[in-house]
């Protein structure tokens, strides 16, 4: 590959990388901005059209330079104008006593001159010029190369538009979906349980106070495999209070008791003195559609003689229709 070919190759590679990066970045920006897919595709299409038009202008400029170079007349060969010079003594035939004359003499041609009309020597004249066509020494005909068809330019623009508009969007969407699937596969199950979203069932916030401790229920979310209860603990006492979850917290509904998953929960268990703590307790199991009330209870509270030994909160929830 020549130096010019290498420059052209790496130039096209760099251009493809630039277009792909532009499409990916634009798609990420539009996704973060929560733009609908239709609007994102329209914006990407507009950017792709601009890129396609710029590439088309560059191609037209190159074609114009090529045509200008091709229209320059090609000079005649060395010697007389219009053809190549013929050495003296060879006009009209091979020189006497030369290799050609010996061959022709063997063929019965006297004097060694060519007997072939239009043979090698016939086109050349004493002046050294030869007519075109048929002669080797005449100048090439000049003229511009054929112009590129308009249909080809249109198809190229459409292809570039499609690649710029949908290529980056589709590639980014596919990569995001693949990364999400890979993340779900590699993420521990308790993390997936924590991050899964569900349906809010809490009818209204409710609180329960025992001594310096107040527990407020902020949310009851039911997913496909768990019930997540978000609570806030407030401690007005002078000692930190600990409300453990493993083996100590439970959620009771319609005679059924759900136990917590400490690995999936984010409840810190300790409420600092004179402060508060907020977190989510994830219980394995789901509430039935007809359940309208549940009870959250902690069987043990550590940290202060002023705190109650245990605490429970009755929570109103919305039944499903």
């Amino acid at each position: 590959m020549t130096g010019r070919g290498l420059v052209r190759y790496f130039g096209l590679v760099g251009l493809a990388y630039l277009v792909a990066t532009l499409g990916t970045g634009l798609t990420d920006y539009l996704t973060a901005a929560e733009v609908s897919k239709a609007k994102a595709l329209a914006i990407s299409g507009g950017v792709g059209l601009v890129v396609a038009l710029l590439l088309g202008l560059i191609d037209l400029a190159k074609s114009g330079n090529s045509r200008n170079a091709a229209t320059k007349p090609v000079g005649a060969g060395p010697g007389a104008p219009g053809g190549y010079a013929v050495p003296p003594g060879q006009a009209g035939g091979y020189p006497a006593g030369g290799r050609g004359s010996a061959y022709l003499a063997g063929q019965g041609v006297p004097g060694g001159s060519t007997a072939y009309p239009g043979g090698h020597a016939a086109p050349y004249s004493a002046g050294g010029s030869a007519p075109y066509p048929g002669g080797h020494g005449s100048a090439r005909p000049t003229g511009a190369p054929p112009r590129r068809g308009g249909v080809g330019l249109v198809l190229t623009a459409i292809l570039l538009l499609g690649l710029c508009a949908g290529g980056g969007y589709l590639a980014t969407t596919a990569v995001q979906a693949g990364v999400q699937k890979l993340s779900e596969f590699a993420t521990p199950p308790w993390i997936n349980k924590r991050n899964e979203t569900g349906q809010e069932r809490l009818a209204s916030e409710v609180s329960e106070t025992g001594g310096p401790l107040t527990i407020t229920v902020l949310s009851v979310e039911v997913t496909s495999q768990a019930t997540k209860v978000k609570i806030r603990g407030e401690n007005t006492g002078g000692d930190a209070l600990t409300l453990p979850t493993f083996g100590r917290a439970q959620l009771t509904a319609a005679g059924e008791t759900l136990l917590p998953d400490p690995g999936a929960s984010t409840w810190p268990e300790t409420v600092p003195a004179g402060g508060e703590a907020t977190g989510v307790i994830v219980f394995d199991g789901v509430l039935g559609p007809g359940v309208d009330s549940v009870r959250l209870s902690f069987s043990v509270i550590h940290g202060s003689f002023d705190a109650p030994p245990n605490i429970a909160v009755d929570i109103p929830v919305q039944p499903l229709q």
Side-chain angles (χ1 to χ4, degrees):
M1 184 180 290
T2 63
R4 181 176 298 179
L6 287 175
V7 172
R8 181 181 180 86
Y9 171 77
F10 286 108
L12 292 176
V13 170
L15 181 61
Y17 175 78
L18 178 62
V19 172
T21 304
L22 176 63
T24 302
L26 180 62
T27 303
D28 289 340
Y29 173 78
L30 296 176
T31 302
E34 298 183 355
V35 178
S36 64
K37 290 186 176 181
K39 291 182 179 179
L41 187 59
I43 296 174
S44 300
V47 174
L49 180 59
V50 172
V51 174
L53 290 176
L54 291 177
L55 293 178
L57 291 176
I58 295 174
D59 184 71
L60 289 176
K62 289 184 177 180
S63 299
N65 292 336
S66 300
R67 284 195 298 270
N68 291 336
T71 53
K72 293 182 179 180
V74 181
Y84 293 99
V86 179
Q90 295 188 17
Y94 292 105
R99 296 173 61 186
S101 63
Y103 171 77
L104 293 176
Q107 300 297 323
V109 180
S113 61
T114 180
Y116 305 106
H120 290 286
Y124 295 97
S125 62
S129 62
Y132 191 89
H136 296 283
S138 62
R140 297 179 184 178
T142 60
R147 296 176 60 89
R148 181 174 298 180
V151 176
L153 291 177
V154 172
L155 293 178
T156 302
I158 293 176
L159 178 60
L160 289 173
L161 176 60
L163 291 176
C164 296
Y169 182 81
L170 294 177
T172 304
T173 302
V175 170
Q176 289 176 346
V179 171
Q180 183 177 0
K181 291 296 183 182
L182 182 61
S183 176
E184 292 177 357
F185 178 77
T187 303
W190 58 88
I191 301 297
N192 289 331
K193 187 189 302 183
R194 175 197 303 169
N195 295 334
E196 183 183 4
T197 59
Q199 185 176 13
E200 180 62 50
R201 296 282 298 274
L202 181 65
S204 61
E205 293 186 4
V206 62
S207 300
E208 185 67 27
T209 300
L213 177 65
T214 299
I215 298 296
T216 302
V217 178
L218 305 174
S219 172
V220 176
E221 184 181 4
V222 180
T223 67
S224 63
Q225 56 182 332
T227 300
K228 302 191 295 184
V229 181
K230 184 177 183 180
I231 61 174
R232 179 179 65 240
E234 299 176 78
N235 182 9
T236 59
D239 300 313
L241 302 177
T242 300
L243 288 79
T245 55
F246 181 72
R248 299 292 184 240
Q250 61 184 18
L251 190 67
T252 306
E256 181 181 6
T257 299
L258 307 182
L259 300 179
D261 182 348
S265 302
T266 61
W267 169 247
E269 297 190 349
T270 300
V271 183
E276 64 179 38
T278 303
V280 176
I281 304 175
V282 180
F283 294 91
D284 289 323
V286 299
L287 301 180
V291 175
D292 59 2
S293 178
V294 296
R295 167 171 282 198
L296 170 66
S297 60
F298 291 90
S299 60
V300 174
I301 300 176
H302 302 293
S304 175
F305 291 107
D306 296 331
N310 52 64
I311 193 170
V313 184
D314 292 321
I315 308 170
V317 297
Q318 297 176 344
L320 300 179
Q321 302 295 332

